[in-house]
Amino acid sequence: MATAAPEGDSQPHPATATDTNTPVSTTATTLSRRTATSGHPAIAATSGGARTASARSQSAARTAATASGSADQNTTSFPPSQTSAEPTFAAVFREALQRRGLSLERVRDRLEARGITISLATLSYWQCGRSQPERALSLRAVDALETILVLPEGTLRSLVGPHRPRGRAVSGPQDLTASQRVFGENSVVERALGEEFAHFNEDVSSLAIHETVRLDEHRCIREMAVNQVLRATRDGASRMTVVHSIDDNATESIDVSVRCGKLGTVRFLPELRSIVADILFGRKLAKNETMVVDYAITLGPSREISTHHERRTRVSLREFLLHVYFHPAALPVSCHPYYLERIGAERRYRHRIPLDVSHTAHMLPTKCPAGIHGMSWEWPG
């Protein structure tokens, strides 16, 4: 299965990954194993070129480190900290991790042993300064981190600043009702984004999405290509975040390429079978200004048969086109579009979609309200 998330996010199954913390910094992105989409707009890569991160080589390096007794080494590399009159939470947390030789995975496990569940994504955001602890559970985690990292009491807690205003100047985090309606409670997307889920793509909204899915002769999805039109909901919008999941955790590689937009940070979350990626616009948009993002995800050979693809959106779209290409040697016996108002709801619009002369099926709803829009197909036998 494949899926896509809100405001034009697509999501297949959760994916298996190798490194949950390492940002991608090359010019072409290749990850090993599987991917899907979720989040506001969809998943990403770079403008005019791909960025690559070899998950297999990262995994091999981690295995070698474990064998040599250095499993607690943090897999994320940061530049040496610089002296500052006013140390930040992120800098002190990062330095403490390096000094203790602990990976974020080990820190997460030690927090869980104390009954505190904090996602790797959240810990990663804390150490790079993208977000800070704010919720009651997060502040409990901060107190526990001081013990885990052998820091004097109050070292980290004293550096937690006041709540950061985000999005619209006068509003707090967006209402999560719409997100939870299409993702569910404690969804993969929410766990992948951590505290950032409350601000998930609040600066942009999707207007139209054209999505193309290609299957191979083994009945597996091999490529998802998305062309998406976004509109800034406030001044200063400069990026969107996407979360993709994939069907098969044995997929050898994942290539992400962007034709419109620029790939920012990419993180592979193995325990959630997901990739979280930022697509940068290259400048700040004015409120109501539009932006086109065009990207593709190519998957390596898979052994997991695909039976459907869907996109989840928190807002009504002006247009949603889903176009599925089947391999001539592996044609389904039937295809049906469906729509769900919320996770767990009964499917609607179950009329049959015929294959055309090119062995493709498509759906283009006359109306595209918020919810889950998808296509399912049945295989012979």
Side-chain angles (χ1 to χ4, degrees):
M1 115 177 175
T3 4
E7 249 86 318
D9 304 26
S10 32
Q11 285 181 324
H13 291 213
T16 301
T18 51
D19 190 335
T20 60
N21 313 312
T22 304
V24 174
S25 58
T26 49
T27 25
T29 296
T30 302
L31 302 174
S32 77
R33 312 205 190 172
R34 29 195 301 212
T35 311
T37 43
S38 17
H40 246 43
I43 209 174
T46 63
S47 60
R51 291 180 125 177
T52 332
S54 172
R56 280 178 296 178
S57 60
Q58 293 171 4
S59 180
R62 176 178 296 178
T63 301
T66 303
S68 63
S70 56
D72 264 348
Q73 295 269 331
N74 191 330
T75 56
T76 303
S77 177
F78 293 91
S81 59
Q82 298 180 0
T83 303
S84 171
E86 297 183 5
T88 64
F89 177 90
V92 173
F93 179 35
R94 187 163 62 244
E95 289 172 0
L97 286 170
Q98 294 173 340
R99 185 170 58 253
R100 296 294 299 170
L102 289 175
S103 67
L104 293 184
E105 290 90 341
R106 294 298 291 269
V107 170
R108 176 199 59 188
D109 293 344
R110 294 186 184 188
L111 287 172
E112 288 183 347
R114 290 168 168 78
I116 304 172
T117 301
I118 300 293
S119 70
L120 282 173
T122 296
L123 292 173
S124 179
Y125 287 158
W126 289 355
Q127 76 165 352
C128 70
R130 176 166 173 175
S131 67
Q132 67 172 8
E134 293 177 350
R135 297 182 298 180
L137 179 63
S138 298
L139 295 177
R140 279 183 57 205
V142 170
D143 294 336
L145 285 172
E146 292 175 347
T147 301
I148 293 170
L149 299 173
V150 194
L151 294 171
E153 182 178 352
T155 300
L156 291 175
R157 178 66 89 101
S158 65
L159 296 174
V160 176
H163 175 78
R164 297 178 179 179
R166 312 179 202 192
R168 300 165 187 80
V170 296
S171 66
Q174 61 188 340
D175 181 4
L176 297 183
T177 304
S179 295
Q180 292 173 339
R181 181 182 298 117
V182 297
F183 292 123
E185 296 282 346
N186 194 32
S187 65
V188 168
V189 177
E190 184 170 0
R191 283 180 283 155
L193 296 177
E195 291 187 341
E196 290 295 303
F197 182 69
H199 306 278
F200 188 28
N201 289 328
E202 64 184 355
D203 296 344
V204 293
S205 180
S206 292
L207 299 178
I209 301 172
H210 289 188
E211 187 161 8
T212 302
V213 175
R214 296 178 184 274
L215 286 81
D216 62 17
E217 65 273 24
H218 303 295
R219 306 178 180 181
C220 304
I221 290 179
R222 291 296 298 274
E223 182 183 65
M224 295 172 282
V226 179
N227 182 285
Q228 188 166 349
V229 182
L230 310 168
R231 179 167 57 193
T233 57
R234 71 173 186 90
D235 289 337
S238 62
R239 71 175 67 198
M240 73 173 186
T241 299
V242 300
V243 183
H244 277 263
S245 308
I246 59 176
D247 287 331
D248 183 11
N249 59 8
T251 296
E252 296 180 358
S253 63
I254 301 167
D255 295 324
V256 184
S257 60
V258 171
R259 291 174 288 273
C260 289
K262 180 179 180 181
L263 186 62
T265 301
V266 176
R267 291 179 296 109
F268 203 6
L269 307 178
E271 74 281 10
L272 297 178
R273 294 177 169 182
S274 298
I275 287 180
V276 179
D278 290 330
I279 300 180
L280 311 179
F281 302 152
R283 63 184 179 84
K284 294 183 179 180
L285 305 182
K287 183 178 180 179
N288 293 326
E289 188 175 357
T290 56
M291 173 75 183
V292 175
V293 171
D294 195 324
Y295 67 91
I297 302 170
T298 303
L299 307 175
S302 170
R303 295 173 296 183
E304 191 77 24
I305 293 177
S306 298
T307 59
H308 69 284
H309 184 86
E310 64 186 29
R311 178 161 290 271
R312 301 175 185 181
T313 174
R314 299 178 293 191
V315 300
S316 297
L317 300 174
R318 293 183 181 178
E319 182 173 274
F320 173 58
L321 169 65
L322 174 58
H323 193 187
V324 181
Y325 282 74
F326 295 97
H327 194 280
L331 300 178
V333 295
S334 63
C335 300
H336 298 88
Y338 61 85
Y339 168 71
L340 295 83
E341 291 181 351
R342 63 184 69 242
I343 287 292
E346 183 179 355
R347 288 182 178 180
R348 300 180 181 177
Y349 311 154
R350 291 291 297 175
H351 64 274
R352 185 167 179 168
I353 305 175
L355 295 184
D356 61 20
V357 67
S358 300
H359 312 304
T360 77
H362 76 275
M363 56 179 284
L364 181 66
T366 54
K367 294 182 178 180
C368 193
I372 303 158
H373 297 265
M375 183 190 301
S376 64
W377 46 85
E378 293 76 42
W379 298 108

